[in-house]
Amino acid sequence: MMTLKSAGDGAQLSAYHVTPFGEKKGGLVLVQEIFGVTDHIKDLCDGFAADGYEVVAPSLYDREEVGFQATYSDEDIARSLKLQQATGYDHVKGDIQAAINFLHTRKNLRVHITGYCYGGSV
């Protein structure tokens, strides 16, 4: 895990960061599902790193609940949706930009972005 400073409001947020296994092909911002930066998201990041990408997955709900991770239960889905709404897209844009900015400092990486569930909307 690493810490990023949002490019929007300057808030501190954690992010899962993994460097590529072998030759670098580029950078990748992987945007979480509504469930947070879970083991599933970390596994996806590790898979992209195995393919040669340096990956950053910012924890987008850290303003509301640091390190939030949820299950797929109805109760956790409801909690996740409340956090997503409380965070808002304006903060998320700055958080994603912070991840992009970090990757741009890493030997001129070409940066890509992908997301799952909520992250696909982002």
Side-chain angles (χ1 to χ4, degrees), residues 32-51:
Q32 69 184 46
E33 301 171 300
I34 62 169
F35 308 107
V37 180
T38 61
D39 288 340
H40 172 65
I41 293 298
K42 291 174 183 177
D43 287 344
L44 290 168
C45 291
D46 293 344
F48 281 108
D51 289 337

Side-chain angles (χ1 to χ4, degrees), residues 16-88:
Y16 184 71
H17 173 231
V18 61
T19 56
F21 311 134
E23 182 182 343
K24 282 187 183 180
K25 293 181 181 176
L28 176 68
V29 177
L30 193 145
V31 187
Q32 69 184 46
E33 301 171 300
I34 62 169
F35 308 107
V37 180
T38 61
D39 288 340
H40 172 65
I41 293 298
K42 291 174 183 177
D43 287 344
L44 290 168
C45 291
D46 293 344
F48 281 108
D51 289 337
Y53 293 90
E54 183 164 356
V55 187
V56 176
S59 184
L60 300 177
Y61 301 155
D62 274 6
R63 283 177 194 79
E64 303 297 323
E65 188 174 331
V66 176
F68 175 80
Q69 293 185 44
T71 68
Y72 299 106
S73 72
D74 289 342
E75 181 180 296
D76 275 1
I77 290 170
R79 231 173 104 215
S80 298
L81 289 170
K82 285 181 184 178
L83 286 171
Q84 182 258 326
Q85 291 169 355
T87 300

Side-chain angles (χ1 to χ4, degrees), residues 87-107:
T87 300
Y89 282 105
D90 286 337
H91 287 307
V92 168
K93 288 188 285 186
D95 298 349
I96 299 301
Q97 189 62 55
I100 292 168
N101 293 347
F102 170 78
L103 288 168
H104 276 299
T105 68
R106 308 288 287 179
K107 299 185 182 181

